[in-house]
Amino acid sequence: MTTPSSWIDEFPARIAELDHAHLRRRRRVVLPDGGARLRVDGQSVLAFCSNDYLGLAGHPELIAAACAGAREFGVGSGASPLVSGHSAANEALEQELAAFVQMPRALYFYAGYATNIGIVPALVGEGDAVFSDALNHACLIDGARLSRAHIHRYAHGDLAALAAALAQSPARRKLVMSDAVFSMDGDIADIPALLALCERFDALLLLDDAHGFGVLGPQGRGSLAHFGLSGASASRRVLYMATLGKAAGVAGAFVAGEDALVEWLLQKTRSYIFATAAPPLLAHTLRTSLRLIESEAWRRDHLTRLIARLRESLGLILRGTAWQLGDSRTAIQALLIGPNDQAMAVMEGLRERGLWVPAIRPPTVPQGTARLRIALSAAHSDADIDRLVQALAELLPNTRPTSAPRHPEPVI
Ligand SMILES: *Cc1c(COP(=O)(O)O)cnc(C)c1O
């Protein structure tokens, strides 16, 4: 008699399936190695995979602030913010975040993922409707699923489709949600047009500015400021969310908007209420981070120049090839390669040359659009960009050689 097979014994085979489909993810153990460099397996590599867009994560003033914060507040917050976890440091940070993005009030979370999966169900539920760009970040999608609201997914950037879905929806509470800068393509959402639709159809607009905060807009105030939609021009229909582990160089996230809206989220967001508050030393550190984002404008200027340099020289070598550089003006530059195994091979070729650029594959991006996601940072130098372009030129398939090939083909 055979024992019935248990699903618990199937994991090795299921992992093997991932391997087979080139979908198995592996972690590397890393150490900082100065600037944009990381030490990986004993080797120093030049990294283009960090979202530390301003190069602040290792800033001496942030490190000093973290140490001072630990001494002043201890390490852990000890409890939910609604019990005893709302430290004076967290309170001060919230006020400074609200002032920084020029919105009435902000609520500080320990992580961006937890923010979005929590705030969407706090805003809408059964009988309501969510309208979501097809390329939105996973945590917005998961938040929408948790909410049990009806989900209308519209094609990336297709505002005509969004308008039609809004017009047809019988729901009274409508929530439009969008990444402000799309995390895998680097393009910026048409926020003024999204906002106009929200006005027209009485919807609330939730913007996830994980990749715009600190980088876009005057003083890095983010995507709303980039479009002149903050401060006096701010709309009460916008709920602005951003993360603090990317350009801000630390960890965490926040949501900002009208006072009553933020108060509602404080009352109803389960991932906020039933979780330990972010460590006050991080809030304390983030206050310094905000000051640096504002004062060290050269970081944004340098990043802007690096983006232009990369696009210009990559544009030249990609001409007439199958690879495509996405249409992005931000620090996220997608080099579309297509098949998973090819993207993996290019990533490996770069690794052999001491460069680390992650290949992003389905299901993170649509099938057939495996790509290299090149993330630039103010920590990079011009020479770093040139090295990357040179290495990519060497790895390009079927390029017409610009000089005589080393092994000339026999003439038939
Ligand atoms: C990184 C990211 C998040 C998650 O933020 P964490 O603080 O890392 O949890 C949310 N949304 C977008 C668009 C992101 O890129």
Side-chain angles (χ1 to χ4, degrees):
M1 202 181 99
T2 57
T3 48
S5 71
S6 163
W7 70 278
I8 293 167
D9 299 320
E10 290 166 5
F11 291 106
R14 293 171 73 185
I15 292 166
E17 277 171 31
L18 290 179
D19 263 331
H20 188 70
H22 300 283
L23 288 176
R24 177 139 176 216
R25 298 155 194 271
R26 292 175 194 279
R27 300 178 303 174
R28 305 264 183 189
V29 181
V30 305
L31 282 170
D33 198 30
R37 297 194 148 269
L38 291 172
R39 187 153 284 276
V40 190
D41 303 328
Q43 189 200 354
S44 181
V45 299
L46 183 56
F48 291 91
C49 40
S50 168
N51 301 315
D52 177 23
Y53 300 123
L54 297 178
L56 289 180
H59 196 295
E61 286 188 47
L62 283 197
I63 294 166
C67 295
R71 277 192 294 271
E72 187 172 349
F73 303 103
V75 178
S77 69
S80 158
L82 280 89
V83 183
S84 62
H86 188 53
S87 156
N90 298 33
E91 172 66 23
L93 174 65
E94 286 186 347
Q95 298 198 4
E96 290 175 13
L97 283 168
F100 187 82
V101 297
Q102 303 171 307
M103 299 196 91
R105 190 171 167 193
L107 192 64
Y108 166 51
F109 280 72
Y110 47 93
Y113 186 89
T115 306
N116 283 341
I117 62 157
I119 62 177
V120 178
L123 293 167
V124 289
E126 212 148 357
D128 300 333
V130 168
F131 302 81
S132 175
D133 188 289
L135 294 190
N136 276 343
H137 191 270
C139 58
L140 283 172
I141 297 163
D142 293 352
R145 287 178 181 153
L146 274 175
S147 78
R148 302 178 198 208
H150 187 84
I151 302 172
H152 299 267
R153 183 175 179 267
Y154 58 92
H156 177 50
D158 187 347
L159 298 191
L162 171 59
L166 281 165
Q168 281 164 17
S169 170
R172 200 172 86 82
R173 284 194 282 260
K174 304 182 190 75
L175 175 68
V176 174
M177 53 185 210
S178 179
D179 282 17
V181 175
F182 288 88
S183 52
M184 293 301 143
D185 295 78
D187 55 323
I188 304 173
D190 187 346
I191 296 173
L194 285 170
L195 194 49
L197 284 178
C198 288
E199 291 284 355
R200 195 168 134 209
F201 294 103
D202 191 25
L204 180 69
L205 178 59
L206 168 57
L207 287 174
D208 179 338
D209 203 22
H211 303 279
F213 179 80
V215 187
L216 295 182
Q219 288 96 42
R221 289 178 205 282
S223 299
L224 282 171
H226 169 80
F227 286 108
L229 292 171
S230 61
S233 318
S235 163
R236 67 193 175 89
R237 291 190 178 277
V238 175
L239 190 57
Y240 176 85
M241 177 272 180
T243 67
L244 300 166
K246 289 169 179 148
V250 186
F254 70 99
V255 54
E258 279 295 299
D259 186 66
L261 197 48
V262 174
E263 177 63 24
W264 179 257
L265 294 179
L266 169 57
Q267 299 302 323
K268 292 292 175 183
T269 304
R270 294 170 65 83
S271 59
Y272 186 79
I273 299 165
F274 299 107
T276 302
L281 80 91
L282 296 183
H284 184 75
T285 309
L286 280 160
R287 298 178 65 192
T288 299
S289 181
L290 287 183
R291 194 169 49 67
L292 292 171
I293 289 172
E294 219 170 339
S295 63
E296 298 195 347
W298 66 265
R299 292 177 182 273
R300 270 180 300 281
D301 297 342
H302 177 54
L303 181 61
T304 303
R305 282 193 298 271
L306 293 176
I307 295 164
R309 188 180 187 92
L310 177 81
R311 288 193 64 83
E312 194 174 318
S313 40
L314 258 190
L316 289 176
I317 69 158
L318 294 181
R319 221 171 263 164
T321 73
W323 295 1
Q324 245 187 315
L325 189 59
D327 186 17
S328 157
R329 302 284 141 184
T330 67
I332 302 165
Q333 295 290 324
L335 178 53
L336 274 85
I337 290 176
N340 292 350
D341 51 348
Q342 269 185 41
M344 292 303 291
V346 179
M347 171 172 150
E348 202 40 54
L350 290 172
R351 275 288 300 228
E352 286 162 8
R353 291 161 173 80
L355 299 159
W356 187 358
V357 185
I360 310 286
R361 292 157 286 163
T364 307
V365 294
Q367 284 292 342
T369 73
R371 71 201 53 197
L372 295 181
R373 179 184 183 274
I374 304 168
L376 299 182
S377 159
H380 288 122
S381 66
D382 287 359
D384 292 340
I385 304 299
D386 298 348
R387 255 193 82 192
L388 173 63
V389 173
Q390 175 59 37
L392 284 168
E394 289 168 18
L395 291 163
L396 255 175
N398 312 319
T399 38
R400 272 168 268 108
T402 46
S403 53
R406 262 170 283 167
H407 306 288
E409 306 249 327
V411 180
I412 303 169

